[in-house]
């Protein structure tokens, strides 16, 4: 008697673009496809954990309600090891959603992180779900590294941006992977304007006067420290733009290399390169694109015998 194939969902890294994972899961559910296990890197670990906890409905409602002000409220600044400590985000996750041990979740779950000192790929499959998520999302330069069992861990996207191999190790026969970085190369760098001057960065709406004023003063302060730009030179990107573009290049290259050696059965690639790092308040747009991208793959999933025919 043939056994039912084990379906694994591998959710990739991609900061605010990660809300697209919610749309992907919704599209699969509507097609009658239920993953037997889920794993994720960075924001993929966040959404994957919510799904494995059985909290995706509440989590989606919360994500759709985010505003510029609430995103700013999670920023616990610390200029040592990273711009943000990341504790406010995880404390909120613990208090708002259940934090069961990974071993006790509704479906098997795992997160991928990176050992800061060794550079090794670390699979987090036991212990606190929130702690695993915190380690997996610790983007270098933005969040401080996470401490776990005497090791410093950072973002899993540095070594395995779309963790197909982890899904295989967890027992998946069919892996549905979601790559949020396929169309991202160079998109965080500002293009020169008509006279060679850099175009202004896209403004993030912050619906709080104090927060908006703080951001404005910070930008003005940095601008005053810079020399007058030479219109004949290509404008130099900001520090954050350089970091983001560099991480994006690395993740795209790593993903392509790893997919060549261990491709998933199905790849879903939402087109959300226009979303910025902290555009978490644009959940509705990202979720809709995730659902649209997943729906395009449904005919192939049906050919594999998954879902309703």
């Amino acid at each position: 008697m043939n056994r039912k194939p084990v379906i694994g969902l591998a959710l990739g890294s991609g900061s605010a673009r990660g809300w697209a994972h919610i749309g992907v899961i919704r599209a699969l559910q509507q097609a009658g496809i239920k993953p037997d296990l889920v794993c994720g890197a960075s924001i993929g670990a966040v959404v994957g954990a919510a799904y494995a906890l059985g909290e995706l409905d509440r989590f989606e409602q919360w994500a759709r309600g985010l505003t510029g002000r609430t995103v700013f409220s999670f920023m616990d600044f610390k200029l040592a090891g990273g711009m943000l400590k990341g504790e406010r985000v995880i404390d909120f996750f613990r208090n708002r959603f259940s934090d069961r041990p990974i071993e006790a979740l509704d479906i098997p779950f795992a997160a991928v992180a990176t050992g800061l000192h060794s550079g090794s790929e670390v699979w987090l499959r036991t212990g606190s779900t929130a702690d695993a998520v915190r380690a997996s999302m610790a983007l270098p330069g933005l969040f401080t590294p996470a401490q776990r069992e005497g090791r410093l861990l950072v973002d899993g996207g540095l070594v395995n941006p779309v963790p197909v191999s982890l899904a295989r190790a967890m027992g998946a026969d069919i892996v549905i992977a979601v790559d949020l970085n396929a169309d991202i190369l160079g998109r965080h760098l500002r293009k020169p304007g008509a006279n060679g001057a850099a175009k202004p960065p896209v403004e993030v709406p912050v619906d709080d006067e104090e927060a908006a004023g703080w951001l404005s003063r910070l930008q003005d302060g940095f601008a005053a420290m810079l020399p007058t730009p030479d219109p004949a030179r290509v404008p130099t990107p900001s520090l954050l733009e350089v970091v983001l573009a560099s991480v994006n290049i690395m993740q795209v290259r790593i993903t392509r290399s790893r997919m060549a050696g261990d491709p998933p059965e199905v790849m879903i690639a939402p087109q959300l390169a226009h979303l910025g790092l902290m555009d978490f308040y644009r959940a509705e747009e990202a979720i809709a694109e995730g659902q649209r991208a997943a729906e395009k793959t449904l005919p192939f999933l049906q050919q594999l015998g998954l879902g309703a025919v």
Side-chain angles (χ1 to χ4, degrees):
M1 182 176 180
N2 294 331
R3 69 176 179 86
K4 177 180 176 291
V6 176
I7 304 171
L9 186 60
L11 303 178
S13 58
S15 61
R17 299 186 300 280
W19 294 153
H21 292 316
I22 298 173
V24 169
I25 294 172
R26 293 305 187 203
L28 296 177
Q29 289 175 328
Q30 291 169 11
I33 300 170
K34 182 180 179 181
D36 299 295
L37 59 90
V38 61
C39 60
S42 197
I43 190 66
V46 176
V47 177
Y51 176 64
L53 283 162
E55 299 268 14
L56 190 64
D57 289 345
R58 287 205 306 132
F59 188 81
E60 179 181 355
Q61 183 180 19
W62 168 75
R64 288 182 182 274
L66 286 173
T67 64
R69 180 178 183 177
T70 51
V71 171
F72 184 83
S73 71
F74 288 125
M75 298 183 185
D76 43 4
F77 293 96
K78 177 180 180 177
L79 297 179
M83 289 176 60
L84 307 174
K85 290 188 291 184
E87 300 307 321
R88 287 184 187 173
V89 176
I90 295 304
D91 286 345
F92 177 87
F93 191 90
R94 291 184 203 276
N95 295 331
R96 184 74 174 266
F97 306 99
S98 57
D99 179 23
R100 283 177 279 151
I102 292 175
E103 306 93 309
L105 296 183
D106 295 349
I107 66 173
F109 167 76
V112 60
T114 303
L116 183 61
H117 291 125
S118 65
S120 60
E121 181 176 339
V122 179
W123 292 348
L124 304 174
R125 303 179 63 175
T126 60
S128 163
T129 301
D131 286 349
V133 168
R134 168 67 179 88
S136 186
M137 61 177 260
L139 183 66
L142 184 64
F143 288 106
T144 57
Q147 300 263 358
R148 185 180 173 98
E149 299 176 356
R151 291 185 295 182
L152 290 176
L153 301 180
V154 292
D155 198 302
L158 299 181
V159 290
N160 201 351
V162 186
V164 173
S165 57
L166 177 52
R168 300 259 187 237
M170 294 171 69
D173 299 308
I174 296 175
V175 177
I176 301 171
V178 185
D179 182 5
L180 301 175
N181 300 313
D183 64 335
I184 199 67
L185 284 182
R187 294 295 294 270
H188 281 292
L189 295 179
R190 285 172 280 170
K191 304 297 184 184
N195 298 318
K199 292 182 179 180
V202 175
E203 293 295 330
V204 176
V206 180
D207 52 349
D208 177 83
E209 291 185 4
E210 181 180 354
W214 185 90
L215 287 172
S216 177
R217 290 193 298 274
L218 183 63
Q219 287 181 333
D220 291 344
F222 278 126
M225 297 168 61
L226 298 175
T228 303
D230 180 355
R233 292 173 59 89
V234 175
T236 302
S238 70
L239 172 62
L240 186 57
E241 286 178 313
V242 172
V243 170
L244 289 177
S246 301
V247 170
N248 287 334
I249 292 170
M250 177 192 63
Q251 291 190 352
V252 170
R253 296 299 184 188
I254 292 173
T255 299
R256 290 176 182 175
S257 175
R258 298 196 67 143
M259 292 299 170
D262 187 10
E265 280 63 37
V266 181
M267 173 65 81
I268 299 172
Q271 303 294 293
L272 288 166
H274 58 284
L275 261 63
L277 173 76
M278 302 301 288
D279 286 355
F280 290 101
Y281 56 88
R282 298 172 68 177
E284 191 143 346
E285 179 181 351
I287 292 170
E289 170 57 18
Q291 183 154 0
R292 185 201 65 78
E295 287 172 349
K296 289 174 60 177
T297 70
L298 292 181
F300 182 68
L301 287 167
Q302 291 169 356
Q303 290 179 21
L304 293 175
L306 305 181
V309 179

